[in-house]
Amino acid sequence: MDFTFPPEDDTFRHHARAWLDAHPPDRSGRDWERTLGEGGWIGLGWGDTPYGNRHATLTQQIVWAEEYARTQNTPPRPGHIGENLLAPTLLTHGTPAQKARFLPGIARGETIWCQGYSEPGAGSDLAAVRTKATRDPATGTYRLTGQKIWTSHAHEADWCFVLARTEPGSQRHHGLSLLLVPMDQPDGRVEVRPIRQLTGTSEFNEVFFDGARAHPDHLVGGEGNGWRVAMDLLAVERGVSTLVQQIGFEAELEEVIRRSSEADPLLRDRLVRQWAELRTMRWNALRTLGGRGDDPAAPSVAKLLWGGWHQRLGELAMAVRGAAGTVGPYDWSEERPYELDPLQRLFLFSRADTVYGGSDEIQRTIIAERVLGLPKEARGQ
């Protein structure tokens, strides 16, 4: 397979780089999201639809993502969940009215979304979802009750796409539906509580639904079809989107290498191995891009590869730093009680890489059962 980019993509790359140079990201996440929308850089992969911005080929989408990832000091993008997860789901499973209602706001960078999947006791085991959505027979409105956890950007999101159980008494992957739920609701129907992590930051949140309402027109894929819709969405999340993620990994690896000029031979060997594994992940992601999209193992293999790799990079960063890695960059003070340098933050945050987004154990089970045809794991009653 040819992993090179066609010559016309060089022009596209030059244009993307020039725009990024002319628009330094010195603004908040929401403002930056709107700037990207005004520039036409959101929704490049939505094909020939009236909802996105400029059309770009698959390789041009990669070119843009690479140039963006290499730009310094870009703020975290709260809009990436709507653009890269919800939008492809609506394009596949949404009604024309849903597409017209929600996609333009994402493309303009005006509407921020979060993902209501994981729950306490149902993190990697998504089929164990217990959040309920009961339909009012008079109005058709759904009332949601339950809790979600590890919800990225929930504290600033306008909407949440929620996997909930709409069939009373249903179990596992039966009776689930995907609902689009507004976060701004009266009387405490939606409560968001930030989760403070080892890094001292709070990117993730708990979300509590206490009678939260969802309009019947905002049911995606039909009632009871939530599992199929959710699996299609997770294939996007865990699959070839990791190609862009690897650009950030490359920058982190370069920083570790820069700090390791005096590393002993054993550390140098680990650095070379880390570099080689990153290149292998890139070729695997490009191979997946060129495939037909029917490889059931591809998303799980990608998650296993990058989760373990990134966690090992964090451990390697601390090994390179040695004893200095145990000491913060500033003396303790009330104003700065918990400070970390980038490599310390990398080490602590990457401890979760093999858990969130589907734990390694779940990914291996998927490969064993759906690809290798091994007997399904026995489940307790």
Side-chain angles (χ1 to χ4, degrees):
M1 180 177 295
D2 184 8
F3 291 142
T4 59
F5 294 94
E8 57 267 26
D9 289 354
D10 289 338
T11 301
F12 188 86
R13 185 182 297 276
H14 175 77
H15 179 57
R17 188 174 298 175
W19 187 90
L20 287 166
D21 289 342
H23 296 81
D26 54 351
R27 61 210 79 194
S28 68
R30 272 189 177 270
D31 289 343
W32 176 239
E33 205 67 32
R34 293 189 187 95
T35 300
L36 290 171
E38 292 169 358
W41 297 107
I42 300 177
L44 301 182
W46 297 359
D48 295 322
T49 70
Y51 310 112
N53 287 302
R54 77 187 74 212
H55 176 66
T57 65
L58 183 58
T59 54
Q60 287 170 348
Q61 295 167 45
I62 298 171
V63 165
W64 161 253
E66 288 180 337
E67 292 303 314
Y68 184 88
R70 292 190 175 105
T71 302
Q72 298 296 315
N73 302 318
T74 51
R77 277 201 59 201
H80 79 90
I81 293 176
E83 179 187 7
N84 298 321
L85 297 183
L86 179 65
T89 302
L90 289 181
L91 289 170
T92 302
H93 298 284
T95 65
Q98 289 170 348
K99 297 173 187 177
R101 166 68 175 82
F102 294 109
L103 293 179
I106 297 173
R108 292 192 300 266
E110 295 175 354
T111 309
I112 305 301
W113 287 81
C114 62
Q115 177 182 4
Y117 272 24
S118 295
E119 298 181 3
S124 295
D125 187 10
L126 191 58
V129 160
R130 291 178 292 180
T131 294
K132 297 179 181 179
T134 304
R135 193 166 189 176
D136 185 328
T139 65
T141 300
Y142 289 92
R143 301 294 294 269
L144 282 79
T145 303
Q147 177 186 357
K148 298 295 181 178
I149 198 168
W150 309 119
T151 309
S152 301
H153 300 295
H155 58 294
E156 54 187 339
D158 304 298
W159 289 78
C160 183
F161 48 97
V162 180
L163 190 65
R165 200 163 292 283
T166 50
E167 181 183 331
S170 61
Q171 296 181 355
R172 303 301 300 165
H173 58 277
H174 302 287
L176 296 171
S177 299
L178 190 75
L179 291 161
L180 310 180
V181 182
M183 295 292 284
D184 185 10
Q185 300 204 20
D187 306 325
R189 293 174 186 159
V190 179
E191 180 184 357
V192 178
R193 300 179 189 173
I195 300 173
R196 187 174 174 88
Q197 299 148 217
L198 284 172
T199 55
T201 56
S202 302
E203 294 92 347
F204 301 113
N205 305 269
E206 294 178 281
V207 181
F208 297 85
F209 298 106
D210 186 7
R213 295 181 179 178
H215 196 279
D217 291 345
H218 298 164
L219 172 71
V220 180
E223 190 169 283
N225 293 323
W227 183 255
R228 178 168 60 89
V229 177
M231 290 302 98
D232 287 350
L233 188 149
L234 287 177
V236 175
E237 179 183 24
R238 297 173 181 168
V240 298
S241 60
T242 57
L243 186 63
V244 178
Q245 182 186 48
Q246 292 163 17
I247 305 299
F249 288 172
E250 182 179 2
E252 291 176 334
L253 176 59
E254 289 175 355
E255 177 63 15
V256 174
I257 293 173
R258 188 183 68 80
R259 300 278 194 103
S260 63
S261 59
E262 303 299 326
D264 63 42
L266 292 178
L267 283 178
R268 287 200 296 270
D269 180 70
R270 290 173 62 184
L271 288 167
V272 171
R273 180 179 294 274
Q274 203 76 17
W275 176 87
E277 289 176 352
L278 182 59
R279 300 302 296 175
T280 301
M281 286 195 295
R282 175 174 173 79
W283 300 134
N284 180 65
L286 288 169
R287 177 190 63 82
T288 307
L289 279 177
R292 295 178 298 170
D294 57 358
D295 182 356
S300 294
V301 169
K303 176 60 172 63
L304 284 171
L305 286 173
W306 75 253
W309 184 92
H310 199 226
Q311 196 171 86
R312 291 191 298 276
L313 180 65
E315 295 166 354
L316 183 55
M318 291 298 96
V320 166
R321 294 285 306 280
T326 63
V327 181
Y330 305 104
D331 291 337
W332 186 94
S333 68
E334 291 185 1
E335 292 76 23
R336 306 178 102 165
Y338 193 78
E339 292 287 340
L340 300 170
D341 67 29
L343 294 188
Q344 291 169 329
R345 192 172 297 109
L346 163 65
F347 169 70
L348 291 175
F349 189 88
S350 65
R351 305 315 299 164
D353 283 340
T354 53
V355 178
Y356 73 82
S359 70
D360 280 11
E361 291 78 9
I362 292 293
Q363 303 310 323
R364 292 190 178 98
T365 297
I366 291 172
I367 294 171
E369 295 179 357
R370 302 182 189 176
V371 181
L372 302 180
L374 298 178
K376 289 191 175 182
E377 181 181 7
R379 300 184 185 275
Q381 299 297 323

